[in-house]
Amino acid sequence: MKIKYFHFLFLFIFFLFPNLSYSQQKLKTSKQFEQIYKSIVEVRSFVPENARTARSLGTERLGTGVVIDKKHILTIGYIVIEAEKIDIRLPDGRTVPGKLVGYDHQTGFGILKTVVPTNLAPLRMGDSDKIKDDDMLFVMPYPTHGQGSAGKSVSRRSFTGYWEYYLDKPIYVYPMNQAWAGTPLLNDRGQILGIGSLYIADTVSPGLMSPGNMYVPINALKPVLKDLIKNGRRTKNINPYLGLSADDLTGQLSVSRVNENGPAANTGIKAGDLIVAVNNTKVKTMKEFYLNAWKAGGPGSTVKIKIKRDDKNIDYSIKSIDRMDYFVKNKGL
């Protein structure tokens, strides 16, 4: 069944890169792609209904993972965070139980391992800072999730997510692959450059319809990988968590949601409040809001927020926490 994926991929490559000869590329045969697929797994998780992320992400989640060493699998963390059960389907079709080893909210990466011993072939990590505009990139989901595809990095602009998330140089790839969640982005040598995170409607430029995907760059994993494997989380340079979602789409920075029993909710901030300033600095965008809030220090630091409600300014002091301590704990983590 995999042969049809290879044929589609090769045809798509020639359509997207008509002037590119295979002699220029390292990955150029079906056999080489078959070897890549020996490092690709399916990740399925089951999350309890009382999990913090159950409402937004669901209680059953599905995606892809890629083997990075003899024991560990890399995926996007939202597939597995707060899971009470994780199943990993291997390249040969067998399903084995998995375990979350580490999760990093600041990048979004999740590290897994199989509970039973397996003999999986890892892929090497590449250098995501060296992607060139004309490089051919490969998106390789687990085969039953969808077809592999080729694309280009069309932007490296920053990304701010309402869930207290910021990436400085994510990889925006065009065109879209529908099976992006946890899927590795590879260079022409089969090295991992990023992990699929989101669908983006305007990858090329803000406001220009160009549907594609955003990938978390692999270089963001390298400084924290050992920490995640050893401690389950990063232990240095941790952003304070407020439990507050923001929205700047209307030209005003407003509170779109406060998470139940989170720091912001416990302080008294409400959905619909307008955010005027953070730590005595005026802010108008989500990026300005989060970056200024994080300057207060790590978890446990106090973040000062001035909000406007009913045409009145109100000052709040939020005692932040570690986001990992807010989640329902994964079994065994």
Side-chain angles (χ1 to χ4, degrees):
M1 184 172 64
K2 289 180 182 177
I3 296 300
K4 69 176 183 180
Y5 296 129
F6 299 140
H7 287 169
F8 175 85
L9 184 56
F10 295 152
L11 288 173
F12 189 82
I13 290 170
F14 280 123
F15 175 79
L16 191 64
F17 305 91
N19 297 320
L20 194 65
S21 68
Y22 269 113
S23 61
Q24 294 174 282
Q25 299 302 311
K26 303 297 181 180
L27 290 176
K28 56 186 179 181
T29 68
S30 295
K31 186 175 181 180
Q32 288 174 307
F33 279 99
E34 288 179 11
Q35 289 297 118
I36 294 292
Y37 274 116
K38 290 181 179 179
S39 304
I40 308 296
V41 303
E42 176 188 84
V43 179
R44 184 185 297 270
S45 74
F46 303 87
V47 177
E49 293 184 356
N50 67 331
R52 302 288 189 182
T53 57
R55 184 172 67 175
S56 57
L57 297 176
T59 57
E60 185 172 340
R61 305 169 193 172
L62 183 67
T64 294
V66 58
V67 182
I68 57 172
D69 61 35
K70 293 182 178 179
K71 292 184 178 180
H72 299 104
I73 295 164
L74 177 63
T75 189
I76 199 68
Y78 62 70
I79 298 174
V80 291
I81 190 63
E82 299 189 293
E84 60 185 359
K85 180 185 177 185
I86 298 173
D87 288 337
I88 298 175
R89 183 150 60 139
L90 305 178
D92 62 9
R94 291 182 296 134
T95 298
V96 298
K99 174 185 176 182
L100 180 62
V101 173
Y103 170 78
D104 181 40
H105 177 71
Q106 287 171 224
T107 58
F109 288 121
I111 305 293
L112 310 173
K113 69 177 182 180
T114 59
V115 174
V116 298
T118 55
N119 186 26
L120 298 177
L123 294 184
R124 294 180 61 185
M125 298 183 194
D127 187 345
S128 53
D129 288 337
K130 292 185 177 181
I131 299 174
K132 299 178 182 178
D133 292 342
D134 58 350
D135 284 350
M136 185 192 304
L137 306 178
F138 298 97
V139 181
M140 304 293 285
Y142 191 78
T144 59
H145 292 190
Q147 296 170 325
S149 59
K152 287 185 177 182
S153 171
V154 292
S155 176
R156 297 299 302 269
R157 68 185 188 271
S158 64
F159 175 85
T160 309
Y162 63 84
W163 55 97
E164 299 186 44
Y165 184 73
Y166 174 81
L167 287 177
D168 184 41
K169 292 177 62 178
I171 308 165
Y172 294 85
V173 173
Y174 178 85
M176 177 185 69
N177 188 299
Q178 294 184 344
W180 68 80
T183 296
L185 177 71
L186 309 178
N187 62 16
D188 63 358
R189 297 184 180 183
Q191 297 172 333
I192 306 167
L193 297 179
I195 295 296
S197 177
L198 295 170
Y199 161 78
I200 301 293
D202 52 359
T203 55
V204 173
S205 180
L208 177 65
M209 182 57 66
S210 46
N213 302 116
M214 188 191 82
Y215 293 81
V216 183
I218 199 66
N219 283 9
L221 174 67
K222 295 173 183 178
V224 296
L225 178 58
K226 291 182 179 179
D227 220 3
L228 298 184
I229 292 175
K230 180 180 179 180
N231 300 301
R233 61 172 79 182
R234 69 166 62 214
T235 57
K236 298 178 181 178
N237 302 317
I238 306 169
N239 291 335
Y241 177 64
L242 306 178
L244 185 162
S245 298
D247 185 347
D248 58 10
L249 295 177
T250 62
Q252 293 181 304
L253 185 60
S254 62
V255 177
S256 57
R257 175 182 172 182
V258 290
N259 292 338
E260 185 178 359
N261 293 323
N266 293 338
T267 302
I269 292 179
K270 300 178 181 180
D273 288 343
L274 298 180
I275 301 171
V276 178
V278 178
N279 294 329
N280 300 316
T281 300
K282 291 184 179 181
V283 293
K284 294 183 178 180
T285 66
M286 289 192 298
K287 178 179 178 179
E288 292 173 344
F289 170 41
Y290 291 131
L291 293 186
N292 277 284
W294 295 337
K295 290 178 181 179
S301 61
T302 298
V303 179
K304 297 179 180 180
I305 297 182
K306 183 186 293 292
I307 65 100
K308 179 179 286 188
R309 182 190 301 159
D310 298 328
D311 293 325
K312 296 181 180 179
N313 288 338
I314 307 173
D315 292 315
Y316 286 101
S317 293
I318 304 177
K319 186 174 182 179
S320 63
I321 63 173
D322 187 331
R323 179 66 180 260
M324 288 292 289
D325 295 330
Y326 183 72
F327 288 125
V328 172
K329 295 296 185 294
N330 287 63
K331 184 177 180 182
L333 183 61

